Amino acid sequence: MSAHGPVFRDNPKLDPAVAGTLVKGGYAVGGLALLISVAGGFAGGEETRKQFFFSYLAAYMPFVTITVCAMFFSVLHHLVRASWSTAVRRVAENIAGNIPLMAVLFIPVLLGMHDLYHWSHHDAVEHDPILKGKSGYLSPAFFVARAVVFFVIWFAIQHFFRKNSLAQDESGDVSLTYKMRRLAPISTLLFALTISFAAFDWSMSTSPHWFSTIYGVFTFAGGMMGFFAALALGILWITGRGALTSTLTVDNFHDVGKLMWGFMVFWTYTGFSQYFLIWYGNIPEETIYYITRQNNGWMSVFILLVVGHFFAPFWILMSRHTKRSRAMLGAGAAWLLLMHYMDHYFMVMPVLHHHLHFHWLDLTTLIAVGGLFVAAWAQRTVKHNLVPVKDPQLLASMGYENAV
Amino acid sequence: MAEARVWGLVAQFDDPAKLLHAAEGLRDAGYKRYEVWSPFPVHGMDNAMGLSRSKVPWIVLGGGLTGMASALLLQWWSGAVEYPVMIGGKPLFAFEFATPVTFELSVLLSAFGAVFGMIGLNKLPTPYHPLDKIAMFRRVTDDGFFISIETRDAKFDLHRSRELLESLGGRHVTVVEE
C-alpha cells in the first residue's frame, strides 16, 4: 500500500555488548564441554571411547542438518523469488555461515570412523557378503573423499549467497539479486544430492546392512524443521534484545512458525513412509532396524518421537494463537529442537547400545557442539547487519499481515 | 406491480487507501451490514472492517475429524468385524496399514470443508444481486472500489448514511433497489 507503505527505520546492527555474553559464553561452555568429553571419552577403555564417538555423532548430526538446511533456505529464497523471507534471510545466512565450523567439527567423526562404522573394518567386510557387495561405495577412502566434496559444495554455495548478500548491503546493486537467482537452481540440485548422501554416509551407514531410500528425504525434513525452529529462536532472541522491533513483527514469527510446523508434519510423513513400507514388506533385513528400536527400552524413545515430534506439537502449534505468542512459539521451537536431537539420537545410538542407555557423554557432546554452534552464529550476527538492508525486496517483507 | 423496495446504498471510492479509510469510518460509526468491493484483496481490510476471524478453520477441523473417524471405522469394521479375511499374515486391523487411508480421507474431507465452507460462508453461488443493476458497479472487476450499506443494518438511515458515505470520500452515492 503506497499510503501505508512500510519504511525500514530500525538500527540494522545489534549492540555488541548485548550479544557478548552469548558469544563468549557459548565458546567457553562449548569448548569446555568438548574438552571434558574428549578427556572423559579417552580416559576410559574402548567402550568409553566408542560411547564418545556415538554420542558425538548423535550431537553433530542435528546441528549439521540445521546448518545446511539454513543454507538451502537462503538458496530457496532466490530460487522462488520470495519476498516475504527477506527480513529473516540474514539470520539464515548467518546460521549457514557455520558450515566451516561444522567442517572442523566433522574431524572427530573421521577419527572415530572405526568405532562408528562397522564397514570400515577390512576383516569384517571380507567375511560378510553383504558388506563386501557394498564395499565399492562404503570404503574409508571414498567416504572421506565424499565428505570433502560435500563440505566443498556446501561452503561454495554458502559463501556465494552470503558474500553477495553482504555485498548488496554496501552497494545496493540489484544485479547481485539476479546473480544469486541465476545460481539458485543448480545450488538446489547440489543441496538435494549432498544432504541425501551425507545422511546415507554419516548416519545410515552406522547400520551398514540396512538401507532405506527415503533416509535422505527424512533427514532433510527433520533438518528443515530444526532450521525453522532455530530461525524462530534466532528472531525471537534478536527482537528480545530490542533490535529490529519494527521490522520483525508478530506476522514474521507466525510465518516462521507455520513453516516449522509444516516441516514437522513432513518429517512425520517421510518417517511414517519409511516405517510403513518396512512394516508391510516384513523382510528380516529391513525390519531389523525397527526391531532393534522397538525393544529393550528403545520403544520409549520411539513413542517419545511419535508423540513429542508429531502429535503434541501438531495440535498445540496448529493454533494461530500459539504461533503468534512469543512465549509459546519459543517454547515450541525449543521443544522441537530437542526432538530433532532425539530423532538423530534414535537413528545412531541403538547401534551402540542394544538396551536404551543414556550416558553423560550424550549431554556433554550436545553442549559442546551446541555451544560452539550458537557462539559462532551470535558472533556473525553481531558483526553484520541483521537484515539485508539494501535488498530491493526488504520493504515488501515488512508490514504484511496474515489474514484472520 | 408493487414499488421496488430499497436494498441499500452504494458509493464509489477513488483508490484502495480511501476504501480502507472509509471502511474504518463505517466500522467506527457502528455499521455491521456493509460490504466492501474491490477488484483485488486490500491488505488490512479485515481489521479496517472489524471482521472477526473466519469460521472456515472450524469447518475444516470438523471435516478432518469426520474423515479420520469414518476411515478408521470403515477399515476396522469391514476388515476385523464384518468380513475378516487373513491376508499376508497381517493383523485384521492395525494402525500401521490403516494410516494411509485415514490420512487421505482426513485430508479429503478437510479440503472439502475448506472449499465448500468458504463458498458457503461467502453465500455463493449468488445468481442475482441488487448491485448487478448499477451500471457503475461493473467496474468492480476492473478498477472500481465500492462500499455498499444494506437497509437491514440497524444504523441505516437513507439520509444520514448517504451523508456519512460522502463525508468518507464516497462519490456517486446511489440508492439500490432490490
Side-chain angles (χ1 to χ4, degrees):
Chain A
M1 294 296 90
S2 51
H4 300 261
V7 182
F8 181 75
R9 60 172 92 84
D10 279 321
N11 179 1
K13 295 267 193 191
L14 196 62
D15 180 3
V18 170
T21 339
L22 197 60
V23 178
K24 289 197 197 88
Y27 279 129
V29 172
L32 192 65
L34 190 62
L35 279 179
I36 293 173
S37 308
V38 172
F42 286 86
E46 193 193 328
E47 284 309 305
T48 330
R49 192 189 69 223
K50 276 189 144 185
Q51 178 68 53
F52 165 77
F53 283 122
F54 270 89
S55 297
Y56 185 85
L57 185 66
Y60 178 80
M61 285 306 293
F63 284 103
V64 76
T65 49
I66 288 174
T67 311
V68 288
C69 286
M71 174 199 85
F72 174 58
F73 180 76
S74 58
V75 173
L76 187 62
H77 171 91
H78 295 288
L79 181 76
V80 301
R81 301 186 183 182
S83 55
W84 74 270
S85 45
T86 312
V88 297
R89 202 184 71 217
R90 183 56 50 79
V91 181
E93 288 166 354
N94 284 336
I95 298 176
N98 278 356
I99 282 172
L101 172 75
M102 288 330 258
V104 174
L105 288 180
F106 188 69
I107 293 170
V109 179
L110 290 178
L111 296 176
M113 196 195 289
H114 283 290
D115 287 324
L116 289 168
Y117 305 109
H118 181 63
W119 53 260
S120 66
H121 294 269
H122 188 70
D123 330 337
V125 174
E126 281 305 307
H127 300 99
D128 189 325
I130 293 178
L131 292 188
K132 206 164 184 194
K134 295 185 182 185
S135 60
Y137 183 82
L138 289 179
S139 73
F142 196 21
F143 178 87
V144 176
R146 284 194 304 272
V148 170
V149 169
F150 300 154
F151 279 111
V152 166
I153 290 174
W154 292 341
F155 178 77
I157 295 175
Q158 177 271 138
H159 183 71
F160 175 80
F161 282 90
R162 197 157 163 275
K163 183 193 73 187
N164 282 305
S165 177
L166 289 174
Q168 199 175 44
D169 275 15
E170 303 300 323
S171 67
D173 186 358
V174 184
S175 70
L176 293 173
T177 299
Y178 292 117
K179 199 170 148 188
M180 287 189 276
R181 279 179 188 170
R182 270 198 296 278
L183 283 191
I186 182 71
S187 305
T188 303
L189 282 174
L190 288 171
F191 163 77
L193 288 172
T194 49
I195 193 173
S196 301
F197 281 96
F200 294 150
D201 283 9
W202 304 347
S203 174
M204 193 173 92
S205 82
T206 53
S207 313
H209 296 98
W210 181 79
F211 54 91
S212 164
T213 44
I214 206 172
Y215 205 89
V217 186
F218 183 50
T219 302
F220 159 73
M224 283 305 278
M225 184 209 70
F227 157 68
F228 281 113
L231 179 63
L233 289 181
I235 59 177
L236 285 171
W237 183 78
I238 287 169
T239 48
R241 305 278 88 70
L244 298 183
T245 44
S246 63
T247 307
L248 296 175
T249 62
V250 66
D251 286 289
N252 299 88
F253 303 147
H254 189 183
D255 280 348
V256 173
K258 279 187 270 188
L259 282 161
M260 177 176 80
W261 188 89
F263 276 97
M264 184 270 293
V265 175
F266 185 50
W267 172 90
T268 314
Y269 189 95
T270 51
F272 178 77
S273 302
Q274 178 176 291
Y275 178 75
F276 176 60
L277 291 189
I278 290 173
W279 181 89
Y280 220 111
N282 208 10
I283 302 168
E285 66 194 61
E286 290 177 356
T287 50
I288 182 71
Y289 184 81
Y290 285 112
I291 287 171
T292 316
R293 284 161 180 76
Q294 288 186 331
N295 290 294
N296 302 311
W298 285 106
M299 192 62 185
S300 55
V301 181
F302 188 91
I303 291 170
L304 174 73
L305 285 173
V306 171
V307 175
H309 203 308
F310 177 62
F311 279 106
F314 179 81
W315 289 110
I316 295 170
L317 286 169
M318 181 192 269
S319 162
R320 171 189 179 87
H321 301 291
T322 49
K323 290 194 289 287
R324 290 173 81 88
S325 141
R326 290 182 65 93
M328 289 296 290
L329 179 67
W335 172 258
L336 286 179
L337 280 180
L338 177 67
M339 287 300 105
H340 182 48
Y341 169 73
M342 288 311 295
D343 181 27
H344 282 282
Y345 187 84
F346 188 66
M347 292 189 214
V348 300
M349 203 54 82
V351 177
L352 178 68
H353 291 299
H354 194 59
H355 290 263
L356 173 64
H357 175 71
F358 291 104
H359 195 276
W360 62 269
L361 278 166
D362 297 336
L363 190 65
T364 54
T365 48
L366 178 63
I367 295 172
V369 182
L372 298 175
F373 179 93
V374 171
W377 171 77
Q379 192 180 19
R380 217 167 288 115
T381 302
V382 179
K383 197 172 163 197
H384 303 289
N385 289 327
L386 295 166
V387 289
V389 280
K390 289 185 182 165
D391 189 295
Q393 302 271 39
L394 178 63
L395 297 186
S397 73
M398 297 165 52
Y400 64 86
E401 283 181 24
N402 283 291
V404 283
Chain B
M1 201 173 141
E3 198 178 324
R5 286 190 301 154
V6 175
W7 176 82
L9 284 171
V10 64
Q12 186 171 12
F13 292 82
D14 293 333
D15 55 54
K18 284 188 178 148
L19 197 69
L20 202 71
H21 172 70
E24 284 168 350
L26 286 171
R27 175 195 68 194
D28 295 343
Y31 283 86
K32 302 272 182 239
R33 292 269 170 197
Y34 69 99
E35 193 57 84
V36 175
W37 309 87
S38 157
F40 47 78
V42 178
H43 286 285
M45 187 55 88
D46 292 350
N47 265 335
M49 291 181 69
L51 293 181
S52 55
R53 278 195 68 189
S54 163
K55 290 177 189 68
V56 170
W58 293 105
I59 302 175
V60 173
L61 181 66
L65 292 178
T66 309
M68 188 178 86
S70 50
L72 285 173
L73 269 174
L74 174 74
Q75 291 174 94
W76 166 77
W77 178 79
S78 59
V81 179
E82 181 58 18
Y83 205 93
V85 178
M86 180 69 77
I87 299 164
K90 295 285 180 290
L92 292 173
F93 180 81
F95 284 101
E96 279 88 348
F97 74 68
T99 297
V101 171
T102 309
F103 169 75
E104 295 298 342
L105 207 60
S106 306
V107 170
L108 182 72
L109 294 199
S110 298
F112 282 168
V115 173
F116 296 116
M118 181 275 291
I119 288 176
L121 290 177
N122 279 321
K123 299 190 181 72
L124 291 173
T126 301
Y128 169 75
H129 195 280
L131 282 168
D132 293 344
K133 289 180 301 202
I134 309 298
M136 70 172 179
F137 191 71
R138 286 182 195 151
R139 288 176 64 180
V140 75
T141 56
D142 179 16
D143 62 350
F145 305 93
F146 300 89
I147 290 183
S148 62
I149 308 177
E150 295 178 48
T151 50
R152 287 194 289 160
D153 195 308
K155 298 280 284 183
F156 186 85
D157 176 278
L158 198 56
H159 199 67
R160 269 186 298 189
S161 298
R162 173 193 288 269
E163 276 179 355
L164 180 60
L165 281 173
E166 276 167 353
S167 74
L168 290 168
R171 295 184 295 108
H172 315 300
V173 182
T174 311
V175 176
V176 184
E177 290 176 346
E178 274 189 358

